[in-house]
Amino acid sequence: SKQKCLFTSLSPRRTPVKATGTSKYVNSLRWSNSLVSPSICFTSKSANRRFPRGGFSSSPLDGVDPTQADLMREECILVNENDEIIGHATKLKSHLLENIDKGNALHRAFSVFVFDQQGRLLLQKRASEKITFPDTWTNTCCSHPLYREEEMEQGNNHIGARRAACRKLEHELGISRDMISHDDLVFLTRILYKAPSDTTWGEHEIDYILFAQKDFPKFEDVNQNEVSETRYVSST
């Protein structure tokens, strides 16, 4: 069944967008130079995820894709609402709703919006294997700077988040650093973002919004464990 979503303000991370062969999608974005709390609107097929027969799984990773489960060991950067680093935690711990509800899972993230020279926005559809927000259309790339020196660095116009974005653009979409560099990514703002994915997983993030305008050849190296489809959309 088709699901509809009305946006009242920017909600870029893993928010489903209408992207069919005939639809035209444009989101009205309201930017701020400070941290803001956007209105959250989402749909999720992950709520329908089955548990093993006989009851609930003993681990939140039971039955999930092994490659995605392995990525949950990566260390996210924990911050307070002023975006000051206070520690680190695995992706697993920082994305469990029980930890989010306790208020100890806020972490850094980024959302990349890449436009081509015609002004079309590149979207991706998250793979079915994804643990949070599977099978969901979203912006070009969403992920996290990791708890490592080069991605925690805040100087030079938030170079750490821009380095992390280049790493994930290559990992997910096969867009190499020869095709796009951190100098091509323009930092716009940060938002405070919080949303559940299902009854187990969710997001609570200080999200760095990055824009770029580049043309790419045909996508031939998309990581199918991360992305099932790509598509350009425009306002006309």
Side-chain angles (χ1 to χ4, degrees), residues 177-218:
R177 300 179 203 204
D178 292 332
M179 299 166 65
I180 190 168
S181 73
H182 56 72
D183 290 330
D184 294 314
L185 297 169
V186 178
F187 169 76
L188 269 72
T189 189
R190 294 168 290 178
I191 64 170
L192 179 61
Y193 173 83
K194 187 177 184 180
S197 173
D198 54 25
T199 58
T200 302
W201 305 101
E203 292 285 8
H204 192 199
E205 303 171 335
I206 299 258
D207 195 3
Y208 286 61
I209 308 301
L210 306 173
F211 270 34
Q213 188 165 30
K214 296 281 285 187
D215 281 337
F216 300 115
K218 184 178 180 181

Side-chain angles (χ1 to χ4, degrees), residues 39-200:
S39 300
I40 298 301
C41 178
F42 74 96
T43 60
S44 175
K45 292 186 179 180
S46 54
N48 298 323
R49 185 164 295 179
R50 298 193 190 108
F51 291 97
R53 291 180 181 272
F56 292 99
S57 60
S58 58
S59 165
L61 293 179
D62 284 354
V64 307
D65 176 79
T67 300
Q68 292 296 320
D70 189 59
L71 290 172
M72 297 299 273
R73 297 188 299 174
E74 293 181 332
E75 293 282 329
C76 290
I77 305 167
L78 295 183
V79 295
N80 59 26
E81 290 194 357
N82 293 318
D83 196 23
E84 297 167 331
I85 297 175
I86 60 173
H88 58 95
T90 63
K91 282 186 180 179
L92 187 153
K93 290 182 179 179
S94 57
H95 288 80
L96 284 172
L97 274 183
E98 61 183 89
N99 293 331
I100 293 172
D101 291 340
K102 292 175 184 176
N104 58 10
L106 181 62
H107 55 277
R108 280 186 188 158
F110 61 81
S111 289
V112 180
F113 295 76
V114 176
F115 297 83
D116 66 9
Q117 297 300 324
Q118 300 178 52
R120 300 179 303 170
L121 173 62
L122 175 62
L123 304 181
Q124 65 157 277
K125 185 177 182 181
R126 292 167 62 82
S128 299
E129 290 84 358
K130 298 292 286 184
I131 293 172
T132 57
F133 301 93
D135 300 308
T136 301
W137 282 101
T138 186
N139 50 282
T140 311
C141 182
C142 309
S143 192
H144 312 84
L146 299 181
Y147 191 76
R148 52 179 67 161
E149 184 176 354
E150 65 270 21
E151 295 188 7
M152 290 192 288
E153 187 177 346
Q154 285 290 82
N156 191 16
N157 201 20
H158 307 288
I159 184 64
R162 292 188 290 127
R163 285 172 178 154
C166 288
R167 172 176 56 81
K168 290 301 290 185
L169 283 167
E170 184 167 16
H171 175 233
E172 295 185 4
L173 295 166
I175 300 174
S176 71
R177 300 179 203 204
D178 292 332
M179 299 166 65
I180 190 168
S181 73
H182 56 72
D183 290 330
D184 294 314
L185 297 169
V186 178
F187 169 76
L188 269 72
T189 189
R190 294 168 290 178
I191 64 170
L192 179 61
Y193 173 83
K194 187 177 184 180
S197 173
D198 54 25
T199 58
T200 302

